[in-house]
Amino acid sequence: MGIFGKLFGNKNEKEESKEEKEIFYAQQDDKMEGAYLKAQQTFKYFWRELYWEYRRIVPAQDLAIVKIPFKQKVDGLEDPIVEHMWINEINFDGEKINGVLMNAPNELTNVAIGDRVSVALNEISDWMLAIQGKTYGGYTIQVLRSNMSEKERKNHDNAWGLDFGDFNDIQVVFEQKEHPENLVEHPMAKNMAEQAREFFKDNPNEIMIIDENGNNMLHRESIAGNKTTIDILLELGADKSIKNKKGKTAFDYAKQLNWEHIVDALEN
């Protein structure tokens, strides 16, 4: 299974170790449901990191994936079949998470590997980043690891080829312990502030260009939680009252995604 693993099942999460072919099951109990909720609440950090990754010349991430529960109603069964599978090539517009299905379904026939899919934020079951071999997020995986023996965890981690750390201490941003300020602002936003200011001064039209969703630069920076860039955009005259096709302003996304550090700057 290599670095991406296989984490799916019908009504269960299951993971198979490449080395020993052990399969670990985790029922959909309160602990797993709590992992889903935590992943949804912290997805903003995943997106902020990926947002900056898309701007890098040299990639910094080893892995960026989101897990989604896919469902299919089958004749003769009261409940639908559910398989939790990973997508990559992620994009996020503040409303929908889009990506490409990485897994071949185990039982489902209504989706296939390589399909492009789109879901709301409250529909995902997990997200995970890997940077310099260390994982961030991965809440459902950590639930599984918490139920394993030390040997099983070692086999599991070796199969992925990643450092999952302590299942009781899940990190969400790079160097979170060394630099807790990274929880508030991405370091690239601060490090590139002057370059950003000069770019927007020289290219003022970029401030107001809108994408297919009606989002302008202020919307996108708000969705990613980049206060430094937002301050620069406002300084250069960005209009924070502009609404996108959903009728939302940049302020609305700051509130919706609970980016507390940028709400005051965007409020009218």
Side-chain angles (χ1 to χ4, degrees), residues 21 62 73 81 86 140 151 172 182 209 244 258 266:
K21 305 299 182 184
D62 307 311
K73 182 65 178 175
I81 295 173
W86 295 102
T140 60
K151 180 182 177 182
V172 296
N182 290 353
I209 290 177
N244 65 7
N258 199 29
L266 291 168

Side-chain angles (χ1 to χ4, degrees), residues 106-196:
N106 190 33
E107 297 183 65
L108 301 183
T109 59
N110 59 347
V111 290
I113 187 170
D115 282 356
R116 190 162 289 278
V117 298
S118 177
V119 297
L121 175 53
N122 64 2
E123 295 179 272
I124 71 168
S125 53
D126 208 353
W127 63 264
M128 191 171 75
L129 289 169
I131 304 172
Q132 297 179 8
K134 177 177 172 53
T135 66
Y136 299 85
Y139 295 93
T140 60
I141 298 177
Q142 298 292 17
V143 170
L144 292 171
R145 291 180 76 249
S146 72
N147 295 322
M148 296 177 189
S149 68
E150 186 174 343
K151 180 182 177 182
E152 288 169 341
R153 276 195 295 274
K154 183 176 180 180
N155 289 337
H156 164 276
D157 296 0
N158 287 341
W160 281 75
L162 295 171
D163 174 11
F164 284 84
D166 183 353
F167 55 79
N168 287 315
D169 186 19
I170 301 172
Q171 307 295 299
V172 296
V173 298
F174 182 63
E175 294 187 339
Q176 181 173 329
K177 288 190 173 182
E178 299 88 339
H179 299 283
E181 65 272 17
N182 290 353
L183 283 164
V184 178
E185 185 83 333
H186 195 284
M188 282 185 67
K190 294 181 286 188
N191 295 340
M192 297 184 64
E194 288 311 309
Q195 294 96 314

Side-chain angles (χ1 to χ4, degrees), residues 5 19 42 155:
E19 298 298 326
T42 60
N155 289 337

Side-chain angles (χ1 to χ4, degrees), residues 6-10 12-16 23-26 84 106-107 144:
K6 297 274 186 175
L7 289 169
F8 50 78
N10 64 25
N12 293 317
E13 303 266 356
K14 74 178 181 180
E15 181 169 359
E16 184 180 5
I23 296 177
F24 304 98
Y25 290 90
H84 292 256
N106 190 33
E107 297 183 65
L144 292 171

